[in-house]
Amino acid sequence: MAARKKSRTSSKKSVKKATKKKATKKKAAKKTVAKKKAKKKVAKKKVAKRRVGRPESPVVAGASKFGAYVRSVRLAEGMGLRRVSEQVGMSPAYLSMVERGELDPPTRPKIVALAKALKQDQDSLLALAGKVSADIPVILLRHPIGLCALLRATRGMSKDKIDKLLAQAKKMKR
């Protein structure tokens, strides 16, 4: 009988140990899941911060418009995400995030390459991204007073009037 009691108590102890091990494993698994959830929350916040950017930045307001426009043009042209991303030199995942408005528009050279791949005017695409072509600041710095005054004077003009002004400027350049 004493042997039976010992075996019963030892089996009870081993069952308790096994139960404790299972409980410990469950706790560890819960902690791991909680850590993963916390990491996902942090990652989402980082994406949101990238999307939001600086409040005074004109890019912030146009980020989703830029991405939506790029996606609509790409689909209208019948081009796949991978094909365009290869032509531009960016990853498909990055381009997809830009299209969904999760990230700000890419750098100026990438936007120019994107405009070329999508057969769009690069200045229009850059403007949609809140940027200007690299040669514009150089031109403005040559004659800052006159050109800035000219730009301010065109504020509020219709597209037709600006086109006429452009045609006159081209004639004068000859």
Side-chain angles (χ1 to χ4, degrees):
M1 251 208 215
R4 281 188 184 173
K5 281 186 180 178
K6 280 186 181 180
S7 65
R8 281 184 189 167
T9 56
S10 63
S11 66
K12 285 182 182 178
K13 285 180 182 178
S14 62
V15 168
K16 283 183 182 179
K17 283 183 183 178
T19 308
K20 282 184 181 179
K21 283 184 182 179
K22 284 182 183 178
T24 306
K25 285 182 182 180
K26 282 183 182 179
K27 284 182 184 177
K30 284 182 181 179
K31 284 182 181 178
T32 305
V33 169
K35 284 182 182 178
K36 286 181 181 178
K37 284 182 181 178
K39 282 183 182 179
K40 283 183 181 179
K41 280 185 180 178
V42 169
K44 283 182 182 179
K45 284 181 182 177
K46 285 182 181 178
V47 168
K49 281 183 182 178
R50 281 184 273 174
R51 188 181 327 132
V52 171
R54 295 181 305 254
E56 69 276 359
S57 173
V59 174
V60 174
S64 61
K65 288 181 184 178
F66 174 83
Y69 179 78
V70 168
R71 175 175 264 164
S72 67
V73 170
R74 179 179 60 77
L75 293 174
E77 292 286 324
M79 300 175 77
L81 184 74
R82 290 174 195 237
R83 181 174 151 204
V84 172
S85 64
E86 285 174 8
Q87 289 178 356
V88 175
M90 63 176 65
S91 74
Y94 178 78
L95 180 58
S96 176
M97 291 176 83
V98 168
E99 285 184 349
R100 292 190 316 261
E102 293 177 9
L103 295 176
D104 286 340
T107 61
R108 185 182 291 133
K110 294 290 182 188
I111 293 173
V112 171
L114 196 56
K116 195 176 207 176
L118 297 173
K119 301 173 189 147
Q120 296 292 307
D121 179 61
Q122 73 178 29
D123 289 323
S124 297
L125 208 55
L126 283 164
L128 195 57
K131 302 177 183 196
V132 294
S133 187
D135 63 332
I136 300 297
V138 174
I139 294 168
L140 282 172
L141 291 174
R142 282 193 212 145
H143 307 287
I145 297 170
L147 291 175
C148 288
L150 177 65
L151 287 174
R152 287 187 185 103
T154 61
R155 185 183 297 156
M157 277 188 182
S158 68
K159 184 184 179 319
D160 293 337
K161 287 183 179 180
I162 291 174
D163 290 342
K164 286 179 185 177
L165 185 63
L166 178 62
Q168 286 176 346
K170 285 181 179 179
K171 283 181 187 177
M172 293 173 74
K173 192 174 178 181
R174 292 181 202 161

